[in-house]
Amino acid sequence: MRTSTRQVPPPGRRRSRFGYDHRWWGETEGTAVEDRRSYWQLTRKPLPCLAFVAPILLTYEFGVLWLGGKSAVSFRTGADAWMRHALAGVGLTDHWFLPFCLVVSLLVWHAADPRDWKFAPSSLVGMAIESVLLAVALVGLSRVVDIGFTCLEPAPTIALAADPTSQPHPAAPLIGFLGAGVYEEALFRLALVPLFFGVLRLLQTPTVLASSIAVTTSALLFSLAHHAGSPGEAFTWFAFIFRWLAGVYFAWVFVVRGFGVAVGTHSAYDVLVGWIGWHL
């Protein structure tokens, strides 16, 4: 009688249809399936997003304190100022309370999946490169909208944050654009997109339709917010429609690529256009 031995794969390892153990490039023999993470999966997780956003957030917060001192409120960007005004209404006025809430929110969100407390630091470099590339693509989109509005009104390439050029210090615009990238994404994407989507799903709205409505509505509010209040930007159809499209763009970046890349893309676009003055 002919007999043969069959190698049994290690527990937890997936066996491929071709009869050999499947391992990703660079994976060692003892690595479990649960520890494998692709870049695209990893960088959507809250903890890598927090690690990527934290330097931008801290640069903005310390920059505001450095520029403004006791009058730091005058250097705050729109979404940051709006949320702090709302918090002040209930007596929460500490400078670090809002960034603390953002950090805790991401950590609590991440704690829902306790397996993912490790990630490769090199992934943060990939997120930075990806953010710049997506920002350049958005500059291209602004150029397309510019061409469409050429016959209607002057349509310069615009920054998505409120214009901080009136600030006296040359570093103020850069600090402002970084803050806009963090807090506008936190408010209009991290908070509003899931909120709208959740409410629509409770109303039995189909998933695809709920996603589209949530993305479009948050983008509309994002655009309108730049023209509201004092000092709001003067309304032009080009600025309004472009920011609406940009809001949709950021929202889908948030949905597909996560909060970190959305913040990086927004900040990179504002710095490229509003501070460096670069456009296609």
Side-chain angles (χ1 to χ4, degrees):
M1 178 182 292
R2 184 179 180 182
T3 62
S4 62
T5 59
R6 183 178 182 183
Q7 184 178 2
V8 179
R13 181 174 298 286
R14 185 175 58 195
R15 187 175 181 83
S16 80
R17 69 181 68 179
F18 301 108
Y20 58 83
D21 294 338
H22 173 75
R23 291 196 298 271
W24 286 12
W25 180 83
E27 181 188 355
T28 60
E29 181 68 28
T31 304
V33 170
E34 288 80 4
D35 292 335
R36 296 199 300 260
R37 297 289 184 270
S38 74
Y39 166 81
W40 306 106
Q41 293 173 318
L42 176 70
T43 51
R44 296 183 71 249
K45 302 292 184 180
L47 186 61
C49 289
L50 176 58
F52 182 73
V53 169
I56 304 174
L57 176 62
L58 291 175
T59 300
Y60 169 70
E61 292 294 346
F62 282 112
V64 166
L65 289 176
W66 171 59
L67 291 170
K70 294 182 179 180
S71 60
V73 64
S74 62
F75 288 88
R76 297 199 174 277
T77 58
D80 180 26
W82 303 329
M83 289 188 285
R84 288 179 185 274
H85 180 73
L87 291 172
V90 294
L92 300 173
T93 58
D94 185 81
H95 174 90
W96 294 104
F97 183 76
L98 187 57
F100 175 77
C101 288
L102 177 58
V103 171
V104 170
S105 298
L106 291 172
L107 288 176
V108 170
W109 177 19
H110 191 85
D113 190 353
R115 299 175 302 168
D116 294 328
W117 290 94
K118 296 180 180 179
F119 64 92
S122 59
S123 62
L124 302 181
V125 177
M127 293 172 72
I129 295 172
E130 191 179 352
S131 297
V132 173
L133 293 177
L134 288 170
V136 171
L138 184 56
V139 175
L141 174 62
S142 72
R143 180 60 178 164
V144 172
V145 178
D146 183 4
I147 294 173
F149 273 81
T150 298
C151 299
L152 299 178
E153 59 179 292
T157 303
I158 60 173
L160 297 173
D163 184 10
T165 55
S166 60
Q167 301 291 355
H169 198 284
L174 175 61
I175 299 299
F177 289 138
L178 294 178
V182 174
Y183 285 113
E184 289 182 3
E185 292 307 304
L187 176 60
F188 293 103
R189 258 64 71 177
L190 184 61
L192 292 186
V193 171
L195 174 63
F196 291 154
F197 178 79
V199 171
L200 290 167
R201 290 296 292 144
L202 288 175
L203 297 175
Q204 304 298 313
T205 307
T207 301
V208 174
L209 180 59
S211 299
S212 301
I213 294 175
V215 163
T216 304
T217 304
S218 66
L220 176 61
L221 294 176
F222 169 71
S223 182
L224 288 172
H226 288 82
H227 303 288
S230 178
E233 181 180 319
F235 182 88
T236 66
W237 281 108
F238 170 75
F240 171 74
I241 291 178
F242 172 67
R243 283 202 177 98
W244 192 355
L245 293 174
V248 171
Y249 184 88
F250 289 138
W252 281 118
V253 170
F254 167 74
V255 170
V256 176
R257 294 298 303 119
F259 177 65
V261 175
V263 169
T265 302
H266 192 149
S267 299
Y269 175 87
D270 277 355
V271 170
L272 286 174
V273 171
W275 195 59
I276 298 177
W278 180 82
H279 58 85
L280 296 177

